[in-house]
Amino acid sequence: MSDYETPIMSVKNLSKHFGEGCSNCRDVNENHLIRNFCPDCGTVYACRNVSFDLYPGEVLGIVGESGSGKSTLMRSLYFDQDVTSGEAYLRSYEMGSKNVFEESSQKKRYIRNHLMGKVYQNPMLGLRMGFSSIGNIAEKLIAAGIRHVGEMESKGRELLEYVNIPVYRMKEAPRNFSGGMQQRVQIAKALSNNPPILLLDEVTTGLDLSVQASVLDLIKELQRELNVSIVIVSHDLAVIRMMADRTMVMLDGKVVEHGLTDQVLEDPQDRYTQQLVHSLL
Amino acid sequence: MQIDYNYAFFDEGSKREIRRATLKAIAIPGYQVPFASREMPIGRGWGTGGLQLTLSLVGKDDVVKVIDQGSDESVNAVNIKKLIEKTTGISTTDETSEATIIQSRHRIPEVPLKDGQIMVLQVPLPEPLRFYEPSEFETKKLHAEKEYSGAWLMLFEQIMKYGNLATDADHPVMVDDRYVMAPSPIPRFDNSKMNYSEALILLGAGREKKIYAVPPYTKVVSLAFDDYPFEVESFEDNHCKQCGAAGVFMDEIYDDETETTYFQCNDTSYCVARLNHQTV
């Protein structure tokens, strides 16, 4: 098999519940749930048996309405929260032999710091607002084990220039930046340790159109140049159409449809996807 | 009104609780052990952590020395000494080598500490990661996972801002290759005295309710970068104006009559001892 045919990350049956579950909903009695919510015990089934593969250099788009489990999926993949059940294997970690969800928290931290980068919708979550921009990038590099100031400074400078943050503002805190700039600092931070996998959670939501375009342009450019694999979550179909090679559609915590982006958007098979595509303004 | 206090102010149960926390702290070098900080006749933040350690440890044969910023005669040091004297009846001293327990705020004495001595340091902020992560819940996890990027990040920020490692005091140290610890606000000059110290070093934070320790002969390394090594304060070629000492931690003092500055030993008992031994 060639290098491009083995997945860099494969996720199997990822489930995340908020709540204990009860006898009415635990035995996967689908009809009992109201969307993804059990009316008897109040358990929310945020992700239900989500499985997918991510291939090297690929952009995988995930669409779905609010509350469909997109962000929960992303948080689980970045270990921001524990999963209820499921497995994930990373080719770059132990040759894909270990389920990363079952590793110790130190190992998880290692994977986060060395093998992944994440850009959050809200820059408050991804950045330390009170520290300098270059310090924010250094944080990720320090976590990856670098203890050389000169090296970190030049790497940070290079990345910030790459995302068009002017040199004279590098030592300024992201707190003083506009939303678009904060998002670009976040992208620079996520890229600092050359992660093979980049997770983007609604990165352009809330940005104005021209800034949105420049951020997306930047991500596309980075992806081509560095050949990183990207999982991009968005509820904006235009973003998905522009960025993603393949697309997964989520509804109520389940994947209802997946396939090549063009295919999904031009010829939607699932009822929900049809509705979604046709509600595009 | 005459009140009969128990020996060393506290009741025996309280002293035992503090000693238990202390033993645990010694067993896990650099780890912050929570303890039930007692009410004291002095305000929290005035050395209650150190004082509680001293009072829990002091026995009939102990000799106590208390210093505040290097001085044996400052108000805080004198009052703490008086409290210990009144409630235990033991004697206090200014001589570092005579003392069995040395309680200090912001300095480790110039005279090298010996095997058998106990150095008690008063700590205002025991958590070295506090400015990086405000939540105690989170910093506990960071310590547990030995995730100290934050400590290095704070030093990195200093270099970005000032061009060098600029911590004036409380420069974080790695204890026994495991825990990053705040050495209390001692100058960087004193950090190296902790490394393989012959004396036991105890650190107490009364307001923050934490005790931690560096057992004797434990490796203590000040955090630094490959290209920005840790450096202590330099006093260049200056000598103490009183005793002529060099290579010690000095205060720079401004003389407003002559409008010049001069240097003087920060450790007063060290300076006085040197003066007493000099032939006139």
Side-chain angles (χ1 to χ4, degrees):
Chain A
M1 259 196 306
S2 91
D3 206 38
Y4 286 94
E5 286 168 37
T6 35
I8 191 164
M9 175 167 72
S10 80
V11 176
K12 293 196 173 74
N13 301 326
L14 186 152
S15 292
K16 174 70 186 173
H17 311 161
F18 293 97
E20 289 294 308
C22 61
S23 55
N24 289 329
C25 63
R26 211 180 290 134
D27 48 1
V28 203
N29 183 357
E30 299 269 320
N31 301 328
H32 181 75
L33 299 179
I34 300 173
R35 297 178 67 96
N36 60 354
F37 173 78
C38 171
D40 291 323
C41 63
T43 298
V44 174
Y45 289 81
C47 286
R48 290 190 272 172
N49 285 328
V50 177
S51 302
F52 66 90
D53 287 334
L54 180 69
Y55 292 91
E58 176 191 46
V59 180
L60 176 67
I62 301 177
V63 278
E65 57 186 17
S66 315
S68 62
K70 310 182 299 280
S71 291
T72 303
L73 177 65
M74 293 298 253
R75 277 202 295 274
S76 303
L77 292 178
Y78 202 55
F79 311 115
D80 286 335
Q81 62 189 189
D82 290 332
V83 294
T84 309
S85 64
E87 294 160 30
Y89 300 93
L90 296 175
R91 195 174 68 181
S92 41
Y93 180 70
E94 305 271 343
M95 297 307 288
S97 63
K98 290 217 169 109
N99 176 8
V100 294
F101 290 139
E102 281 176 0
E103 292 296 81
S104 67
S105 48
Q106 284 96 327
K107 292 269 174 66
K108 282 180 181 167
R109 219 178 260 280
Y110 171 86
I111 294 169
R112 271 171 71 129
N113 291 337
H114 291 80
L115 307 176
M116 280 187 193
K118 183 171 178 185
V119 181
Y120 294 84
Q121 175 182 359
N122 184 349
M124 295 286 278
L125 296 170
L127 294 175
R128 301 218 167 249
M129 287 297 172
F131 287 85
S132 67
S133 302
I134 199 153
N136 267 288
I137 291 168
E139 185 188 12
K140 188 104 179 162
L141 294 168
I142 292 167
I146 298 174
R147 293 287 181 271
H148 194 282
V149 175
E151 197 183 325
M152 289 190 285
E153 201 183 346
S154 61
K155 178 88 188 172
R157 202 172 279 272
E158 185 191 314
L159 280 163
L160 287 173
E161 250 163 54
Y162 201 58
V163 298
N164 296 317
I165 304 287
V167 181
Y168 64 93
R169 301 196 72 175
M170 281 177 188
K171 291 180 183 173
E172 217 173 300
R175 177 184 288 144
N176 304 339
F177 290 176
S178 70
M181 276 175 93
Q182 289 178 348
Q183 211 57 302
R184 280 180 282 153
V185 174
Q186 234 201 133
I187 292 169
K189 182 178 185 177
L191 286 171
S192 58
N193 53 0
N194 299 326
I197 300 170
L198 194 57
L199 308 171
L200 307 176
D201 190 358
E202 305 267 16
V203 276
T204 54
T205 312
L207 302 181
D208 69 64
L209 284 176
S210 60
V211 179
Q212 227 179 69
S214 75
V215 169
L216 290 175
D217 206 40
L218 171 73
I219 294 167
K220 198 77 194 162
E221 206 178 299
L222 292 172
Q223 191 262 331
R224 289 225 181 96
E225 256 175 54
L226 308 172
N227 203 35
V228 284
S229 309
I230 297 179
V231 181
I232 183 166
V233 158
S234 183
H235 58 251
D236 186 347
L237 287 178
V239 171
I240 296 295
R241 192 191 290 276
M242 180 189 162
M243 302 291 297
D245 303 319
R246 282 195 304 137
T247 297
M248 259 171 32
V249 184
M250 286 185 75
L251 178 68
D252 299 340
K254 285 189 297 188
V255 178
V256 291
E257 185 165 358
H258 62 94
L260 294 174
T261 305
D262 289 347
Q263 195 187 335
V264 171
L265 296 184
E266 296 302 328
D267 182 19
Q269 300 296 312
D270 185 81
R271 209 167 66 96
Y272 170 70
T273 321
Q274 288 169 358
Q275 191 194 345
L276 187 74
V277 170
H278 287 114
S279 54
L280 196 61
L281 288 174
Chain B
M1 190 171 72
Q2 182 68 42
I3 301 170
D4 281 331
Y5 285 107
N6 189 29
Y7 178 78
F9 185 72
F10 288 128
D11 59 283
E12 294 304 314
S14 295
K15 283 192 275 183
R16 208 169 293 140
E17 192 265 344
I18 298 166
R19 285 195 293 262
R20 263 202 299 271
T22 310
L23 283 173
K24 180 170 176 182
I26 296 166
I28 318 171
Y31 174 75
Q32 299 164 47
V33 183
F35 80 113
S37 188
R38 295 318 195 262
E39 285 294 331
M40 300 290 296
I42 59 173
R44 284 193 171 151
W46 291 83
T48 50
L51 188 53
Q52 285 179 80
L53 281 168
T54 306
L55 291 173
S56 77
L57 293 168
V58 75
K60 297 265 184 211
D61 306 324
D62 276 314
V63 182
V64 175
K65 169 185 165 79
V66 181
I67 42 179
D68 176 3
Q69 308 258 23
S71 168
D72 290 271
E73 284 115 30
S74 85
V75 178
N76 193 215
V78 168
N79 281 327
I80 288 175
K81 267 188 277 200
K82 274 188 187 161
L83 179 75
I84 297 169
E85 275 172 349
K86 276 194 176 164
T87 55
T88 62
I90 66 158
S91 61
T92 56
T93 179
D94 288 353
E95 284 288 327
T96 304
S97 56
E98 280 174 16
T100 55
I101 298 174
I102 303 158
Q103 183 180 333
S104 164
R105 172 175 183 257
H106 304 188
R107 273 315 302 279
I108 294 176
E110 299 293 350
V111 179
L113 301 176
K114 297 183 311 246
D115 201 343
Q117 283 183 313
I118 299 175
M119 179 81 218
V120 174
L121 286 164
Q122 303 167 194
V123 184
L125 282 174
E127 179 49 69
L129 300 171
R130 184 57 70 232
F131 289 108
Y132 168 78
E133 174 55 66
S135 155
E136 174 77 7
F137 183 72
E138 291 298 325
T139 51
K140 273 191 170 170
K141 271 198 275 186
L142 295 176
H143 280 291
E145 293 175 10
K146 205 183 171 186
E147 170 53 50
Y148 290 124
S149 314
W152 264 282
L153 177 60
M154 286 188 281
L155 300 179
F156 181 86
E157 287 279 291
Q158 285 177 4
I159 295 171
M160 287 297 110
K161 250 188 213 158
Y162 309 111
N164 58 353
L165 287 174
T167 8
D168 44 358
D170 216 355
H171 187 96
V173 292
M174 173 69 90
V175 182
D176 199 26
D177 295 324
R178 180 58 187 87
Y179 287 100
V180 165
M181 177 187 99
S184 87
I186 57 174
R188 277 174 289 149
F189 189 86
D190 288 345
N191 272 19
S192 51
K193 293 177 191 169
M194 285 193 162
N195 190 26
Y196 291 105
S197 156
E198 288 184 31
L200 167 65
I201 301 168
L202 300 176
L203 302 101
R207 189 188 52 196
E208 303 290 324
K209 304 188 174 80
K210 293 283 168 59
I211 287 173
Y212 51 108
V214 179
Y217 306 102
T218 304
K219 186 175 162 194
V220 178
V221 184
S222 303
L223 301 190
F225 291 100
D226 296 346
D227 50 343
Y228 282 85
F230 175 77
E231 277 169 3
V232 299
E233 291 87 346
S234 160
F235 300 94
E236 286 151 9
D237 297 328
N238 289 303
H239 291 261
C240 170
K241 196 190 182 194
Q242 313 293 339
C243 71
V248 295
F249 192 78
M250 284 186 277
D251 293 329
E252 190 176 5
I253 295 167
Y254 179 71
D255 185 341
D256 47 2
E257 274 175 23
T258 60
E259 296 189 345
T260 52
T261 56
Y262 63 92
F263 285 85
Q264 188 178 311
C265 290
N266 173 266
D267 185 339
T268 53
S269 80
Y270 174 79
C271 197
V272 170
R274 273 177 61 91
L275 285 172
N276 289 342
H277 284 95
Q278 277 164 11
T279 45
V280 184

